Amino acid sequence: MQAYFDKCMEKLGFIPNVLKAYAFDMKKLEAFVAMYNDLMLGPSGLSKLEREMIAVAVSSQNRCYYCLVAHGSAVRQLSGDPALGELMVMNYRAARLSKRQRAMLDFAVKLTNEPWAVEDHDRDSLRRAGFSDRDIWDIAAIAGFYNMSNRVATATDMRPNSVYHGMAR
Amino acid sequence: MQAYFDKCMEKLGFIPNVLKAYAFDMKKLEAFVAMYNDLMLGPSGLSKLEREMIAVAVSSQNRCYYCLVAHGSAVRQLSGDPALGELMVMNYRAARLSKRQRAMLDFAVKLTNEPWAVEDHDRDSLRRAGFSDRDIWDIAAIAGFYNMSNRVATATDMRPNSVYHGMAR
Amino acid sequence: MQAYFDKCMEKLGFIPNVLKAYAFDMKKLEAFVAMYNDLMLGPSGLSKLEREMIAVAVSSQNRCYYCLVAHGSAVRQLSGDPALGELMVMNYRAARLSKRQRAMLDFAVKLTNEPWAVEDHDRDSLRRAGFSDRDIWDIAAIAGFYNMSNRVATATDMRPNSVYHGMAR
Amino acid sequence: MQAYFDKCMEKLGFIPNVLKAYAFDMKKLEAFVAMYNDLMLGPSGLSKLEREMIAVAVSSQNRCYYCLVAHGSAVRQLSGDPALGELMVMNYRAARLSKRQRAMLDFAVKLTNEPWAVEDHDRDSLRRAGFSDRDIWDIAAIAGFYNMSNRVATATDMRPNSVYHGMAR
Amino acid sequence: MQAYFDKCMEKLGFIPNVLKAYAFDMKKLEAFVAMYNDLMLGPSGLSKLEREMIAVAVSSQNRCYYCLVAHGSAVRQLSGDPALGELMVMNYRAARLSKRQRAMLDFAVKLTNEPWAVEDHDRDSLRRAGFSDRDIWDIAAIAGFYNMSNRVATATDMRPNSVYHGMAR
Amino acid sequence: MQAYFDKCMEKLGFIPNVLKAYAFDMKKLEAFVAMYNDLMLGPSGLSKLEREMIAVAVSSQNRCYYCLVAHGSAVRQLSGDPALGELMVMNYRAARLSKRQRAMLDFAVKLTNEPWAVEDHDRDSLRRAGFSDRDIWDIAAIAGFYNMSNRVATATDMRPNSVYHGMAR
C-alpha cells in the first residue's frame, strides 16, 4: 500500500484522509481501495465526471461533510465548471442537465432516499435515457458505494483535507 | 474465484445469488467478496451473530427483500432462535436485547435513517455500552456495507435463493 | 365467549394472544371479534388470502411485530407459498403480483402512510383494476382495521404465540 | 338498529353520516357502533372530553376532514371552550394542558405517527402522569380506533353533516 | 403607525395580536405591514379570498395555531362559506375546488413541504390552469410569506385574538 | 431605489439578482429591502456573521440554490473561514461551534423542519445558551425570512450572480 500512498502523493500532492482512516487495517484499506478504483476509475459506460456527479448528489442527500468536500472538488475539476460542483452539493434539480444526466441522478437519489420504492419503471426510465443494463449496474453500484462511504465517514467523524476547499474554484 | 464458488457449494450447498450477480466482472466480485469476508467473517469485537443482526436491522429500514431473506436466515442459524430472526426483520425495537446489542442496533439504524444527525453523543452511547473505538468502526462499516448492498440488490432486482426461506425455522 | 375460545382451540389448536388480551372485558372482546370476523371471514369480493395480504402489507408499514407474525403465517398458509408471506412482511413491491392485487396493496399502503392524500384518482385506480365500490369499502375497512390493531398491539406490547413462527414454512 | 337511529335523532337531532355509510350492512354497522359506544361512552378512567380530545388530535395527524369536523364539535361542546376544539384540530402542542392531558396526547400522537417506536419508556411516561395500565389500554384503543375511522372516512370520501360546523362556537 | 392601529380598530374592531407583537420596533412593524398589505390587499390576479386560501393551506402544513385561527376566519368571511374555512384548515384536498384553485393550492403546499422539488413542470401546471407568470410570483410570494409568519408566530408563542373563533361561523 | 442599486454597485460591485427579480414592482422591492436590511444589517444581539450562518443553515434544509450560493459566500467573507461557509451549506452539525452558535442553529433548523414542534423547552435552550427574548425574536425572524426567500427563489427559478462562486475561497 505504500506504493499506493506514494502514487496519491505524486498524483494529488496529498493523501486523502479517508485512506488514512482505513489504513489501521490493511485488509480494510485494500478492499476499500479495490472497490473505489474499480467503480470510479475502471471501465464503464459512465464518464468519470458522471460518476463523481452521482457521488456528490448522493452525499448531498445524506449530508456527508467529508464526501461533499472531496467529491464536490472532483466535479469542479473534471467539469471545469465551479457552479456545477455547487449545484451537485446544493440541489442537483437546479442544474441544467442533459436528459441522460438528469435521469441518472434521479435514479441515484431515489435509490438513496427510498430504496424500497425502486422498481422496473425506474430502470425503464434509465433505459429510455440511453443507459444499458451494465450502466444501470454502475449507477446503482456507485450510488450504493457512497451510501456506504457517507455513513462510515459520518459515523467516525472523518474530516476532509483542507486543500480541497480552494481547488478549481 | 472458482475455488471460492466451490467452497460456497461445499459449505452452504448453494451459491448465493448475489455472488452470481457480481460474477459478470471478476474485479467487482473480488472487491465485494474481500470486503464482505473481512467485515462479516474477519476478526472483530462483534460476534458473527451481532454482525448479522446489524445486517438485518439495516436491511429492514431499507426494505431490501434479498438481504432480509438471506441475512434473516443467518440470524436464525447463528442464534438458534427463529423468533430473533423475525424480530430483526420486523422491528428490532420489539426484541428483548441486552443493553449492548440495543445500543449497537440503535446506532446502526440511526446511521441508516438519518446519517446527518449522528454525532459525538451517539458514539458516546456506544462507549457507555462497552464498545471500543474499533468496535464503533466495525458497527459503522457493517451498517454502511448493507446500506450499499441493499441498494445494489434492489436496484438490480436481485432475488434470494429460495432455499433460505425454510432454513432454521 | 367460552364457546368462541373452544372453537379457536379446536380449529387452531391454540388461542391467539390478541384474544386473551381483549378478554379482560367481554364488551371489548365481543366488539373486536365481531368486527374481525366480519371483515376477515365474512362475505366479500376479496378472497381470504387477499384480505390477509392487506393485513400484512399494512402491518409492515407500521412495523407491528404481533400482526406481522400472526398474519404473515396466515398468508403462508392460505397461499401455500412461504415466499409470498415473506414478501408481504418485507416489501410487497418486490412480489410478482397480478395488477389487481398490486392496485389493492398500493391503495392500502397509501391509505396507511398518507391517508390525507387519498383522493378520487386513487379510487379510480382500484376501479380500473376491477374493484367495485363495495370492494373499495372492504379494502379500506381492512386497511383501517390493521391500522387500529397494529397500534393497540404495539402500545400494549402484545407478543404473538410462538407457534406461528414455524407454521407453513 | 332503527331504535339506535331513533335515539340518534332524539339525542342529536340528526343521524351522523358515518352511521348512514356503515348502514349498507347491518353486521358492519353493529360492530362499528358496539366498538364506538364502548370506547367513547363506556366506563373508563378517561373522561368523555379526554376521549374526544384524543379523537381530534389523532384525526389532525391524519388530516381526516370528517372526523375533525364531527369530533372537533364534540370537544367544543363537552369542554364549553371553542378554542380548545380549535387547538386539538390545529396543533395540540399549542394548548395549555395539564401534564396528564399532555402526556395522554403525546402518547396518542406518537402512536399515530410512529407506532413502531412506542416502547416501555412511553408507557412509563403515562404511568408517571397518573395513568393506570387500564387507562393506557383505553388511550391506545381510542387512538387506534380513530386511526381506523380516519382511513375508512377518507378512503370513501365521507362528508360530515353540515350542522356540526356551527355547533358550540 | 398609530394611524394604522386606529384604522385596524375602526375596520376590525380590534388590533390583531401579530401587530402588537411586532410593535416593539417600528422598523420591524413597518416592514411587516408593508409586505403584508402589498401581498394580501394590493393589486394581483388572485382574488383576496384566494390569497387567504393560500395563507390557510400553508399554515395548515406548518400547524401554526395563530395563523390558522386568524386566516381561517378570513376565509370564512370572504367566502361566506364556513365549511370552506374548515377545509383549508383541515385538509384542502377534501374541498371541492375549481381546477384553478386546486392547482394554486397544490403549488403552494408543495412549495411549503418540499421546496427543493419545485421545478418547471410545477410552474407549467399553474400555467395550464390559467395563471400568468405574475400570478405565479404572487402565489409563491404569499406561500413564502406564511412560511415566514408561521415560524415567527410559533417561535414566539403568539396567541390569536379570541374574537376570531366565533366570526362568520 | 436607483440610489439603493447604486449603493449595491459601489459596495458589492454588482446588483444581486434577487433585487432585480423584485424590481418589477417598487412596492415589493421596497418591502423586501426594508425587511432584509433591518434583519441582516440592523441592530441586534446577533453578529452579522451569526445572522448569515442562520441564513445558510436554513437554506440548506430547503436546498435553495440561490440563497446557498449568495449567503454561503457571505459566511466565508464575514468569518474569513472558507470551511465554515461549506459546513453551513453541507451540514452545520459537522462544524465545531460554540454552544451559543450551536443552540442558535439547532433552534433555526428545528423551526424550519418541524415548526409545529417548537415549544417552551426550545426557547429555554436558547436562554440557557445566553440569548435574551429579543435575541430569540431575531433568530426566529431571520429563520422565518429565509424560509420565505428560499421559497420565492426556488418557485421563480432565481439564479445567483456567478461572481459569488469564487469569492472568499
Side-chain angles (χ1 to χ4, degrees):
Chain A
M1 271 288 136
Q2 189 56 43
Y4 184 72
F5 275 31
D6 290 349
K7 213 167 81 183
C8 283
M9 279 303 296
E10 187 191 313
K11 204 168 152 191
L12 302 173
F14 63 96
I15 298 168
N17 288 342
V18 62
L19 300 182
K20 291 187 195 161
Y22 270 94
F24 75 89
D25 182 331
M26 273 305 112
K27 279 212 163 163
K28 294 186 196 309
L29 178 60
E30 283 168 0
F32 178 81
V33 166
M35 197 177 275
Y36 175 87
N37 283 350
D38 173 61
L39 284 174
M40 299 303 282
L41 306 172
S44 167
L46 309 178
S47 73
K48 281 176 194 170
L49 172 58
E50 286 171 338
R51 297 182 235 179
E52 291 289 351
M53 290 167 70
I54 295 172
V56 184
V58 165
S59 302
S60 172
Q61 302 307 307
N62 294 328
R63 300 188 181 280
C64 175
Y65 178 57
Y66 184 96
C67 301
L68 286 168
V69 169
H71 294 279
S73 161
V75 170
R76 294 194 305 272
Q77 287 185 282
L78 289 169
S79 67
D81 179 359
L84 186 66
E86 294 295 80
L87 281 157
M88 293 302 104
V89 167
M90 292 167 176
N91 188 354
Y92 80 96
R93 294 176 197 86
R96 315 295 197 211
L97 300 173
S98 65
K99 281 198 179 170
R100 168 188 164 88
Q101 293 185 342
R102 176 63 193 255
M104 176 187 83
L105 295 181
D106 281 344
F107 187 90
V109 165
K110 182 173 181 183
L111 189 60
T112 297
N113 290 344
E114 6 168 39
W116 50 83
V118 171
E119 295 192 64
D120 276 347
H121 58 87
D122 298 296
R123 285 178 282 270
D124 288 343
S125 295
L126 286 180
R127 286 182 195 114
R128 275 196 305 276
F131 290 103
S132 68
D133 276 16
R134 166 61 202 274
D135 295 335
I136 297 177
W137 177 279
D138 286 1
I139 297 170
I142 294 166
F145 182 80
Y146 287 95
N147 271 291
M148 174 178 73
S149 302
N150 291 171
R151 287 174 173 85
V152 174
T154 300
T156 62
D157 196 24
M158 222 176 265
R159 318 300 292 188
N161 306 59
S162 57
V163 67
Y164 287 121
H165 290 291
M167 289 168 99
R169 293 294 185 184
Chain B
M1 271 288 134
Q2 190 56 45
Y4 185 70
F5 275 29
D6 290 349
K7 212 167 84 183
C8 283
M9 279 303 297
E10 187 190 315
K11 205 168 151 190
L12 302 173
F14 63 96
I15 299 169
N17 287 342
V18 64
L19 299 182
K20 290 189 196 161
Y22 271 94
F24 76 89
D25 182 331
M26 271 305 111
K27 277 211 164 165
K28 294 185 196 308
L29 179 60
E30 282 167 1
F32 178 83
V33 166
M35 196 177 276
Y36 176 87
N37 282 350
D38 174 61
L39 285 174
M40 300 303 282
L41 307 172
S44 167
L46 308 179
S47 73
K48 282 176 194 169
L49 171 59
E50 286 170 338
R51 297 182 235 179
E52 291 289 350
M53 289 167 70
I54 295 172
V56 183
V58 165
S59 302
S60 172
Q61 303 307 308
N62 294 327
R63 299 190 183 281
C64 175
Y65 178 57
Y66 184 96
C67 301
L68 286 168
V69 169
H71 295 279
S73 160
V75 170
R76 297 194 304 273
Q77 287 185 284
L78 289 168
S79 67
D81 178 359
L84 186 66
E86 295 295 80
L87 281 157
M88 293 301 105
V89 167
M90 292 168 176
N91 188 354
Y92 79 96
R93 295 177 196 85
R96 315 298 196 207
L97 299 171
S98 66
K99 281 195 179 172
R100 168 188 165 88
Q101 294 186 340
R102 178 61 194 254
M104 175 187 83
L105 295 181
D106 280 346
F107 187 90
V109 165
K110 183 174 180 182
L111 189 60
T112 297
N113 290 343
E114 11 169 34
W116 50 83
V118 170
E119 295 193 64
D120 275 348
H121 58 87
D122 299 296
R123 285 179 281 271
D124 287 343
S125 294
L126 287 179
R127 287 182 194 111
R128 274 196 306 278
F131 291 102
S132 69
D133 277 15
R134 166 61 203 272
D135 295 336
I136 296 177
W137 176 281
D138 287 0
I139 296 170
I142 295 166
F145 182 80
Y146 287 96
N147 271 289
M148 176 178 71
S149 303
N150 290 170
R151 286 173 174 86
V152 174
T154 300
T156 61
D157 197 26
M158 223 176 263
R159 319 299 293 188
N161 306 59
S162 58
V163 66
Y164 287 122
H165 290 291
M167 288 167 101
R169 294 291 186 185
Chain C
M1 271 289 134
Q2 189 57 45
Y4 185 71
F5 274 31
D6 290 350
K7 214 167 82 183
C8 284
M9 279 303 295
E10 187 191 315
K11 207 169 148 188
L12 302 173
F14 63 95
I15 298 169
N17 287 343
V18 64
L19 300 182
K20 291 189 195 160
Y22 271 94
F24 75 88
D25 182 332
M26 272 305 111
K27 278 210 165 168
K28 294 184 196 309
L29 179 60
E30 282 168 2
F32 178 83
V33 165
M35 196 176 276
Y36 175 87
N37 283 349
D38 174 60
L39 284 174
M40 299 303 281
L41 307 172
S44 167
L46 309 179
S47 72
K48 282 176 193 169
L49 172 59
E50 286 171 339
R51 297 182 235 179
E52 291 289 351
M53 288 166 72
I54 295 172
V56 184
V58 165
S59 303
S60 172
Q61 303 306 308
N62 295 327
R63 300 189 182 280
C64 175
Y65 178 57
Y66 184 96
C67 301
L68 285 168
V69 169
H71 295 279
S73 160
V75 170
R76 295 194 305 271
Q77 286 185 284
L78 289 169
S79 68
D81 179 359
L84 186 66
E86 294 295 79
L87 281 157
M88 293 301 105
V89 166
M90 292 167 176
N91 188 353
Y92 80 96
R93 294 177 197 86
R96 315 295 197 210
L97 299 172
S98 65
K99 280 196 180 172
R100 169 188 164 89
Q101 293 186 340
R102 178 62 194 255
M104 177 186 83
L105 295 182
D106 280 344
F107 187 90
V109 165
K110 183 174 181 184
L111 190 60
T112 297
N113 290 344
E114 8 169 36
W116 49 83
V118 170
E119 295 194 64
D120 276 347
H121 58 88
D122 299 296
R123 286 179 281 272
D124 288 342
S125 294
L126 287 180
R127 286 184 195 111
R128 273 197 305 279
F131 291 103
S132 69
D133 277 16
R134 167 60 204 274
D135 294 336
I136 295 176
W137 176 280
D138 287 0
I139 296 170
I142 294 165
F145 183 80
Y146 287 95
N147 271 289
M148 175 178 72
S149 303
N150 290 170
R151 286 174 174 85
V152 174
T154 300
T156 61
D157 197 24
M158 221 176 263
R159 316 301 292 189
N161 306 59
S162 57
V163 66
Y164 286 122
H165 290 291
M167 288 168 101
R169 294 292 183 186
Chain D
M1 271 289 135
Q2 190 56 45
Y4 184 71
F5 275 31
D6 290 350
K7 214 167 81 183
C8 283
M9 279 303 296
E10 188 190 313
K11 206 168 150 190
L12 302 173
F14 63 96
I15 298 169
N17 287 343
V18 62
L19 300 182
K20 289 187 195 161
Y22 270 94
F24 75 89
D25 182 332
M26 273 305 111
K27 278 213 163 161
K28 294 184 194 312
L29 179 60
E30 283 168 1
F32 178 83
V33 166
M35 196 177 276
Y36 175 88
N37 283 350
D38 173 62
L39 285 174
M40 299 303 283
L41 307 172
S44 168
L46 309 178
S47 73
K48 280 176 195 170
L49 172 58
E50 287 170 338
R51 296 182 236 179
E52 291 288 352
M53 289 167 71
I54 296 172
V56 184
V58 165
S59 303
S60 172
Q61 303 306 308
N62 294 328
R63 301 189 181 281
C64 175
Y65 178 57
Y66 184 96
C67 302
L68 286 168
V69 169
H71 294 279
S73 161
V75 170
R76 296 194 305 272
Q77 286 186 285
L78 289 169
S79 66
D81 179 358
L84 186 66
E86 295 295 79
L87 281 157
M88 294 300 106
V89 167
M90 291 166 176
N91 188 354
Y92 80 96
R93 293 177 198 86
R96 314 298 197 208
L97 299 172
S98 65
K99 281 198 179 169
R100 168 189 164 87
Q101 293 185 342
R102 177 63 194 254
M104 175 187 84
L105 295 182
D106 280 345
F107 187 90
V109 165
K110 182 174 181 182
L111 189 60
T112 298
N113 289 344
E114 9 168 36
W116 51 82
V118 170
E119 296 192 63
D120 276 347
H121 59 87
D122 299 294
R123 286 179 282 272
D124 288 343
S125 294
L126 287 179
R127 286 183 195 111
R128 275 196 306 276
F131 291 102
S132 69
D133 277 16
R134 167 59 203 272
D135 295 335
I136 296 176
W137 177 279
D138 286 0
I139 296 170
I142 294 166
F145 183 80
Y146 287 95
N147 271 291
M148 175 179 71
S149 303
N150 290 171
R151 286 174 174 84
V152 174
T154 299
T156 61
D157 197 24
M158 222 176 263
R159 317 300 293 188
N161 306 61
S162 57
V163 66
Y164 287 121
H165 290 291
M167 288 168 99
R169 293 292 184 185
Chain E
M1 270 288 134
Q2 188 57 44
Y4 184 73
F5 274 30
D6 290 349
K7 213 167 83 183
C8 283
M9 278 303 295
E10 187 190 314
K11 206 168 150 190
L12 302 173
F14 63 97
I15 298 169
N17 287 343
V18 63
L19 300 181
K20 290 188 195 160
Y22 270 94
F24 75 90
D25 182 331
M26 272 304 112
K27 279 213 163 161
K28 294 184 196 309
L29 180 60
E30 282 167 1
F32 178 83
V33 166
M35 196 177 277
Y36 175 88
N37 283 350
D38 174 62
L39 285 175
M40 299 303 283
L41 306 172
S44 167
L46 307 179
S47 73
K48 282 176 194 169
L49 172 58
E50 287 170 339
R51 296 182 235 179
E52 291 289 352
M53 287 166 71
I54 295 172
V56 184
V58 165
S59 303
S60 171
Q61 302 308 307
N62 294 329
R63 300 190 180 280
C64 175
Y65 178 57
Y66 184 95
C67 301
L68 286 168
V69 169
H71 295 279
S73 162
V75 170
R76 295 194 306 270
Q77 286 185 282
L78 290 168
S79 68
D81 179 358
L84 186 66
E86 295 294 80
L87 281 156
M88 293 302 104
V89 167
M90 292 165 176
N91 188 354
Y92 80 97
R93 294 178 198 85
R96 314 297 197 208
L97 299 172
S98 66
K99 280 196 180 171
R100 169 187 162 88
Q101 294 185 341
R102 177 62 195 255
M104 176 186 83
L105 296 181
D106 280 344
F107 187 89
V109 166
K110 183 174 180 182
L111 190 59
T112 298
N113 290 344
E114 9 168 36
W116 50 82
V118 170
E119 295 193 64
D120 277 346
H121 58 88
D122 299 295
R123 287 179 281 272
D124 288 342
S125 295
L126 287 180
R127 287 183 194 111
R128 274 196 307 275
F131 291 102
S132 68
D133 277 15
R134 166 60 203 273
D135 295 336
I136 296 177
W137 177 279
D138 287 1
I139 296 170
I142 295 166
F145 183 80
Y146 287 95
N147 271 291
M148 175 178 71
S149 303
N150 291 170
R151 286 173 174 85
V152 174
T154 300
T156 61
D157 197 24
M158 223 176 262
R159 317 300 293 188
N161 305 60
S162 59
V163 66
Y164 286 121
H165 290 291
M167 290 169 101
R169 293 291 185 185
Chain F
M1 271 289 134
Q2 188 57 45
Y4 185 71
F5 275 29
D6 290 349
K7 213 167 82 183
C8 284
M9 278 304 296
E10 187 190 314
K11 206 169 149 189
L12 303 173
F14 63 97
I15 299 169
N17 288 342
V18 63
L19 299 182
K20 291 188 195 161
Y22 270 94
F24 75 89
D25 181 331
M26 273 304 112
K27 280 213 162 161
K28 293 184 196 309
L29 179 60
E30 283 167 0
F32 179 82
V33 165
M35 196 176 275
Y36 176 87
N37 283 349
D38 174 62
L39 285 174
M40 299 303 284
L41 307 172
S44 168
L46 308 179
S47 72
K48 281 176 194 169
L49 172 59
E50 285 170 340
R51 296 182 235 179
E52 292 289 351
M53 287 166 72
I54 295 173
V56 184
V58 165
S59 303
S60 171
Q61 303 306 309
N62 294 328
R63 300 189 181 281
C64 175
Y65 178 58
Y66 184 96
C67 303
L68 286 168
V69 169
H71 295 279
S73 160
V75 170
R76 294 194 305 271
Q77 286 185 283
L78 290 168
S79 67
D81 179 358
L84 186 65
E86 295 296 79
L87 280 157
M88 293 300 105
V89 167
M90 292 167 176
N91 188 354
Y92 80 96
R93 293 177 198 85
R96 315 297 197 207
L97 300 171
S98 65
K99 279 197 181 171
R100 168 189 164 88
Q101 293 186 341
R102 177 62 195 254
M104 176 187 83
L105 295 181
D106 280 344
F107 187 89
V109 165
K110 183 174 180 182
L111 190 59
T112 297
N113 290 343
E114 11 168 34
W116 50 83
V118 170
E119 294 193 65
D120 276 347
H121 58 88
D122 299 296
R123 286 179 282 272
D124 288 344
S125 295
L126 287 179
R127 287 184 194 111
R128 274 196 307 275
F131 291 102
S132 68
D133 277 14
R134 166 61 203 273
D135 295 335
I136 296 177
W137 177 279
D138 287 0
I139 296 170
I142 294 165
F145 183 80
Y146 287 96
N147 271 290
M148 175 178 70
S149 303
N150 291 170
R151 286 172 175 85
V152 174
T154 300
T156 61
D157 197 24
M158 220 176 264
R159 316 302 293 190
N161 306 60
S162 58
V163 66
Y164 286 122
H165 290 291
M167 290 169 99
R169 293 293 184 185

